[in-house]
Amino acid sequence: MTAYREFHRRSIADREGFWDEQARLVHWQKPFSKVLDYSRPPFAKWFVGGQTNLCYNAIDRHLEARGDQKALVWISTEVDAQKTFTYRELHAEVQRAAAMMQALGVKQGDRVVIYMPMIPEAAFAILACARIGAVHSVVFGGFAAASLAARIDDAKPKLMITADGGSRMGKVVLYKSLVDEALRVARHPPEKVLIFRRGLDANMASVAGRDVEWRDLAQKHAGAQVPCAWLESNESSYILYTSGTTGHPKGVQRDVGGHAVALAASMKHLYCGEAGETMFTTSDIGWVVGHSYIIYAPLIAGMTTIMYEGVPVRPDAGIWWKIVQDHKVAVMFSAPTAIRVLKKQDPAYMKKYDLSSLKHLFLAGEPLDEPTHVWITESLGRLVIDHYWQTETGWPLLSAHPGVEKTPLKMGSPSFPCYGYDVRLLHETTGKEVADGEKGVVAIKPPLPPGCMATVWGDDARFVETYFRSFPGQLVYTTFDWGIRDKDGYYFILGRTDDVINVAGHRLGTREIEEAVNMHPNIAECAVVGVADPVKGQMPLAFAVAKTHVEDQKKLEKEVMETVDKQLGAIARPRAVHFVTLLPKTRSGKTLRRSIQALAEGRDPGDLTTIEDPGALQQIKDALR
Ligand code: AMP
């Protein structure tokens, strides 16, 4: 492990020298004057004074050497279509989208909320924002109108971009009508809404003066040339909302230069993606993995990126492997839940295709259980690398580094700290470092490396309070994950320290779901906990107290689920809603979520000395029965 150890050591001991070298992987229109300005901890400014542009690095820079190479391949098994864009074609499409946005009044620094399915126009819109220095905020298509409205009100966009509809498992999902619903309740609606019509909603309504059709505007801007805005490295590139312990999602704000450098370096040292090769990331543009590894990183590296609209088992469970074969995918990135879904299918599907182009499969987003890791490794006959990161970090925090050294993998472990991260495992209360083999909170001694969140959008104080004040007397970033390190230096992630749950790789706050459940007029209060699920990792489970006597529990349960669908989206729908007359609470009124969760997972409920009324716990037990 000498090469890896030395690489990591240097990244911490000589931060500036290390990142100065990595910064050469991207184009700087104006060189930076300082690698790191850490004069206002914990705010780290990287590559100060340097000017660059993410879109330039992703597209323009490659035009000379690889203008005719495929840049983006869009495959939809939902609408049975495929489209390919070379770097030159992508350049033209993005410039046209940029011109369209400018025509709608978008200027540098303005926010653009993108609520779109997985279609090429979504990629054009994202890259066009980067090109002109507008700040994009992509909202995952599965979020409901109320969640979308909350994000709109925080970002205060000048423009929204959407489509008439998307498709999931062959069923149309209406996007534009949901946007209309969100804009009816939003306090800061945008002036204009740009709509790409796919022909999926024949009855799509249009608001005169506000709604603009993509195709109409695109016609007017065919052949447009829009130069890249040269942005100081620390300007904002995007905002991505993520859940925490409060009911209000936080806007993770990312910079420009640090983001470009971090992604370029990760393609070299972690993913081993070479220019001219193909990368297939099975996430969605609404999540951080989609931002980093469907859109920006593979293009910055000069690769071909695959954008896939569909599920892993339609038309059959061989579809991903067919894509790997047909497009000679070299690097693939997916999530454990998807692999657990595939594990239930006939293994013959994997043997049917030629997977010889594939170097590595990377998995992240949630814990990768050992049986699934073993199964996929054996089935593929390739290295399957578990790596760990968060929306906040934007790129991996713990991973094997095959681009630096091929260290052996341990099943169930995302290996070691990535270069640039000074990772510590801290005791929950004392904040002291724990010994090997002892459980601690995964923390990072700041400054955070390039590419990590710069702040919470519009709220520096919340950034510091949320992430850096968990341990008295020290300024240290907490991941809110438990971890353990073995004697060989391998890390294992043991789950969240807070009330956040992870459903199929999607982070949801239990408080957010509780607030949604409470929106039902007959619910007085509730507790939502995450319980283990064999496929999705975790699922929310709700215990609710109704205001009036419940005659028909099934009916009320259905209504509560529909309320959650409406408030947050179907991804947050509880597996079940149990009705009780009392929730287990401490004498000071705190809900004993951990005890409820333990009971739901068949474990010991732990220390109950502070419980107000033990009868409440009995009700939970009875309900679970
Ligand atoms: P998100 O920001 O939505 O990507 O969620 C990040 C959270 O997902 C982390 O804080 C972890 O709780 C979990 N997570 C991500 N990757 C892994 C992994 N490889 N192993 C275990 N948990 C993970």
Side-chain angles (χ1 to χ4, degrees), residues 279-310:
M279 181 158 187
F280 177 24
T281 299
T282 70
S283 183
D284 186 281
I285 49 156
W287 308 116
V288 71
V289 176
H291 282 60
S292 291
Y293 296 106
I294 295 175
I295 307 283
Y296 289 115
L299 296 175
I300 288 174
M303 299 178 77
T304 302
T305 185
I306 301 216
M307 187 179 196
Y308 174 66
E309 183 185 44

Side-chain angles (χ1 to χ4, degrees), residues 365-367 386-391 481 493 496 502 507:
E366 54 180 316
D386 177 17
H387 62 329
Y388 158 88
W389 51 297
Q390 312 183 297
T391 304
D481 280 303
I493 297 296
R496 297 282 299 194
N502 193 319
R507 200 204 298 191

Side-chain angles (χ1 to χ4, degrees), residues 334-621:
S334 191
T337 290
I339 305 300
R340 286 192 290 263
V341 167
L342 289 175
K343 204 166 121 190
K344 292 174 145 184
Q345 309 285 324
D346 185 347
Y349 282 118
M350 268 175 110
K351 305 276 171 256
K352 214 171 133 185
Y353 299 99
D354 174 9
L355 307 180
S356 57
S357 60
L358 191 64
K359 295 191 276 193
H360 302 116
L361 168 64
F362 285 84
L363 298 174
E366 54 180 316
L368 173 60
D369 56 286
E370 202 175 318
T372 304
H373 199 173
V374 172
W375 177 80
I376 186 69
T377 304
E378 285 172 358
S379 312
L380 277 181
R382 290 287 181 290
L383 279 188
V384 176
I385 299 180
D386 177 17
H387 62 329
Y388 158 88
W389 51 297
Q390 312 183 297
T391 304
E392 287 84 348
T393 65
W395 62 282
L397 199 170
L398 296 174
S399 180
H401 295 50
V404 178
E405 184 182 0
K406 294 199 168 35
T407 50
L409 297 177
K410 282 197 188 183
M411 297 288 141
S413 164
S415 297
F416 318 114
C418 293
Y419 50 91
Y421 291 96
D422 190 353
V423 177
R424 310 285 170 109
L425 287 177
L426 302 182
H427 187 275
E428 182 185 15
T429 47
T430 65
K432 293 217 171 78
E433 284 194 56
V434 299
D436 287 350
E438 274 176 34
K439 172 174 156 176
V441 179
V442 182
I444 306 163
K445 192 162 176 269
L448 299 178
C452 289
M453 77 186 288
T455 186
V456 171
W457 174 254
D459 201 343
D460 283 354
R462 191 172 176 200
F463 175 61
V464 181
E465 282 311 311
T466 306
Y467 294 106
F468 291 90
R469 295 269 186 232
S470 297
F471 303 97
Q474 37 174 339
L475 196 66
V476 58
Y477 173 90
T478 173
T479 60
F480 298 101
D481 280 303
W482 293 111
I484 197 165
R485 186 180 46 232
D486 72 7
K487 59 178 180 5
D488 302 321
Y490 285 78
Y491 283 70
F492 294 80
I493 297 296
L494 309 173
R496 297 282 299 194
T497 64
D498 57 8
D499 289 323
V500 164
I501 61 176
N502 193 319
V503 182
H506 309 321
R507 200 204 298 191
L508 297 167
T510 47
R511 276 277 297 280
E512 265 177 289
I513 307 175
E514 285 171 3
E515 283 178 21
V517 170
N518 290 341
M519 293 297 277
H520 187 283
N522 195 20
I523 298 299
E525 61 170 344
C526 73
V528 170
V529 295
V531 292
D533 182 87
V535 175
K536 294 183 174 180
Q538 279 188 307
M539 281 282 284
L541 186 64
F543 295 86
V545 178
K547 286 181 185 162
T548 57
H549 174 70
V550 187
E551 283 294 339
D552 186 343
Q553 294 206 353
K554 276 283 151 227
K555 182 166 169 275
L556 184 56
E557 178 181 39
K558 187 163 170 278
E559 283 175 22
V560 169
M561 288 184 176
E562 283 164 3
T563 309
V564 175
D565 286 1
K566 211 164 155 39
Q567 290 298 318
L568 287 174
I571 46 168
R573 186 191 302 166
R575 181 157 78 188
V577 185
H578 296 297
F579 295 98
V580 291
T581 59
L582 195 66
L583 290 171
K585 290 190 182 179
T586 63
R587 270 172 237 122
S588 57
K590 274 204 182 129
T591 307
L592 288 161
R593 286 197 190 77
R594 299 266 152 92
S595 304
I596 303 175
Q597 185 190 36
L599 285 178
E601 290 183 342
R603 290 180 284 114
D604 182 73
D607 179 14
L608 294 169
T609 46
T610 59
I611 194 164
E612 166 94 49
D613 182 344
L617 219 56
Q618 191 55 45
Q619 285 204 29
I620 300 282
K621 284 184 196 159

